[in-house]
Amino acid sequence: MRVTGAPSRKTPLAEDLATRVALEEESLRVRYARRRRVDATEHYGPFDAAAVMAVQQRDRILLNRLRRQGMKSLASAQILDVGCGNGVELVRLLPFGARPENLHGIDLLPQRVLAARSLHPAMDIHEASAAALPWPDHHFDIVVQYTMLSSVLDSVVRRRAALEMGRVLRPGGIVLWYDFVLNPLNRDTHALRKRQVYELFPGFQVWLQRTTLAPPIARFVVPRWPAIAHGLQAISPLRSHLVGVLTKPAGRDAPQCAVADASRVAER
């Protein structure tokens, strides 16, 4: 955990950031409470054919990419999932060699934290903010970011969360990325283009690929005509997500964007 010095007066910029983080986190709680009115297992559970197809394709792409980058096992990797939800994505790493005691996660919602802790007693799960991760610098080999950043609508808070991911990642470590590049029907998210990924992680080596048949199409087509769904998935404009591996420069800290600069950059 981080060790802090004597309390100091916050600068106006720090106070503004703290206010923006608090407002965004309250907005997130409201949005997630609204989503809970719809049964999440209906669209994202293990018996939903479209969700299974999306997850299997994502994991296959990521494993192939990690293999090409020389990774052979997750056994020794310290892994953090930022916005881990109910912990399912962390558990999915176990068949790939990850050790449960090396799996860590944070989520903003206490009920999700409890659900994640219940999946495996050895996993280390915290109720915490992505804008202030409770670990020291260079602590993790892998940081997982699956559809968390697109849920943060405030661009300054989103950049702060990305900075925190870079801070806790060791030099040469990687971010596993999976997030919306296209999501026009969901006003609770902000789709992230390739350019924005580069801006969020300056100096990182970025590899990205379009994937995932857009969920509204997939939910209709996959259960009825899976072969047609695979064909539609080959059409790039119908793919709603980016999947990728972002590698932090080795031998030095990742470049850090000033929060002051971030606050002046408008979303494009």
Side-chain angles (χ1 to χ4, degrees), residues 74-81 90-91 93-95 97-105 116-117 119-126 135 139-142:
L74 299 180
S76 63
Q78 292 289 333
I79 302 172
L80 170 66
D81 186 353
L90 282 171
V91 171
L93 297 173
L94 294 175
R99 300 178 63 86
E101 63 269 24
N102 293 341
L103 296 178
H104 311 261
R117 287 173 177 167
L119 289 184
H120 200 294
M123 295 197 308
D124 173 42
I125 311 294
H126 296 263
W135 286 280
H139 191 73
F140 294 102
D141 302 290
I142 298 173

Side-chain angles (χ1 to χ4, degrees), residues 10 33 71 89 99 104 122-123 131 146 155 161 174 242-243 254 258:
K10 288 185 177 180
M71 187 170 291
E89 296 296 354
R99 300 178 63 86
H104 311 261
M123 295 197 308
Y146 290 170
S155 61
I174 60 174
L242 285 172
V243 61

Side-chain angles (χ1 to χ4, degrees), residues 176-252:
L176 299 183
W177 178 281
Y178 179 70
D179 217 328
F180 289 104
V181 70
L182 176 70
N183 197 13
L185 300 180
N186 189 346
R187 291 181 295 176
D188 288 342
T189 63
H190 177 90
L192 297 170
R193 305 286 183 177
K194 281 187 177 182
R195 181 186 66 232
Q196 291 169 302
V197 180
Y198 280 92
E199 291 172 350
L200 287 168
F201 293 92
F204 278 56
Q205 179 183 343
V206 176
W207 180 89
L208 293 167
Q209 176 178 320
R210 285 284 286 265
T211 188
T212 305
L213 182 63
I217 300 172
R219 287 172 194 143
F220 181 77
V221 177
V222 174
R224 296 169 176 85
W225 311 290
I228 293 176
H230 283 283
L232 291 174
Q233 196 165 240
I235 303 173
S236 183
L238 298 182
R239 300 179 201 153
S240 58
H241 290 64
L242 285 172
V243 61
V245 177
L246 321 179
T247 306
K248 183 174 178 177
R252 62 183 179 89

Side-chain angles (χ1 to χ4, degrees), residues 1 3 19 28 41 44 77 95 107 110 113 115 117 119 121 142 152 164 187 189 199 211 221 245 254:
M1 301 296 175
V3 178
T19 299
L28 276 166
T41 62
Y44 301 104
D107 202 273
V113 171
R117 287 173 177 167
L119 289 184
I142 298 173
V152 180
E164 279 290 275
R187 291 181 295 176
T189 63
E199 291 172 350
T211 188
V221 177
V245 177

Side-chain angles (χ1 to χ4, degrees), residues 9-20:
R9 292 185 60 187
K10 288 185 177 180
T11 65
L13 180 61
E15 290 178 349
D16 177 65
L17 176 62
T19 299
R20 296 181 78 138

